[in-house]
Amino acid sequence: MTQTQDAPAQTRTRTFSWTDPSEHVKLLATRTGLDILRSMAAGELPPPPIFQLIGGSGLHAEPGSVTITLDPQEFHYNPIGTVHGGIISTLLDTAAACSVQSTLPLGVGYTSMDLNVKFLRAVTVTSGTLTCTGAVLQSGRRTALAEARLTDAQGRLIAHATSSCLLFELPKP
């Protein structure tokens, strides 16, 4: 019996860069959440490092709603050849939480308290551009509830999530 040897795997590389995240933090004392998000969407401010890390491709912000896009790539894959659930969860968390950010006045910050995700379909590079839209469902003095929906290029629902965010006063500069 002859033993065969598999051909070596083709090596792929990816290089990326990011900007200093403290630049965004400094702006929180002088701009509303919506203003910061719209400045990122217009290219006047760089996106946060996590968006650059996953290769996000678009951002649109309105009061109470944020939409982000991503083109699935091989570097998003898990061991079974589909986009890792952590990437999908990151998109959902970003859209939901940034929707909350889009409603915040000057001097108020937020952080996610929880994220409840339901995965409905697998995602691969053939899924086309993913669109994730978040919306604020309810906002109070200390907490906000938001949801996000992720669809593929054909408009099929891939996953959805709800998120609770804690609202807090930012330290004075």
Side-chain angles (χ1 to χ4, degrees), residues 106-138:
L106 186 68
V108 177
Y110 73 96
T111 190
S112 297
M113 294 192 311
D114 61 32
L115 182 70
N116 184 354
V117 176
K118 299 295 182 191
F119 302 101
L120 305 173
R121 294 180 186 275
V123 177
T124 66
V125 295
T126 62
S127 298
T129 300
L130 303 178
T131 301
C132 192
T133 300
V136 175
L137 299 174
Q138 183 177 355

Side-chain angles (χ1 to χ4, degrees), residues 56-71:
S57 56
L59 169 70
H60 177 77
E62 295 296 329
S65 180
V66 167
T67 299
I68 58 175
T69 57
L70 177 115
D71 293 313

Side-chain angles (χ1 to χ4, degrees), residues 20-44:
D20 183 352
S22 69
E23 295 303 312
H24 290 122
V25 175
K26 291 175 191 173
L27 294 174
L28 294 174
T30 60
R31 297 167 86 173
T32 66
L34 182 60
D35 185 38
I36 291 170
L37 290 166
R38 284 184 169 166
S39 293
M40 283 190 281
E44 298 161 2

Side-chain angles (χ1 to χ4, degrees), residues 57-119:
S57 56
L59 169 70
H60 177 77
E62 295 296 329
S65 180
V66 167
T67 299
I68 58 175
T69 57
L70 177 115
D71 293 313
Q73 304 295 321
E74 283 184 344
F75 59 80
H76 294 132
Y77 278 19
N78 59 27
I80 63 169
T82 62
V83 171
H84 190 280
I87 298 295
I88 293 169
S89 296
T90 298
L91 290 171
L92 293 162
D93 181 53
T94 301
C98 286
S99 294
V100 171
Q101 181 179 355
S102 74
T103 67
L104 299 181
L106 186 68
V108 177
Y110 73 96
T111 190
S112 297
M113 294 192 311
D114 61 32
L115 182 70
N116 184 354
V117 176
K118 299 295 182 191
F119 302 101

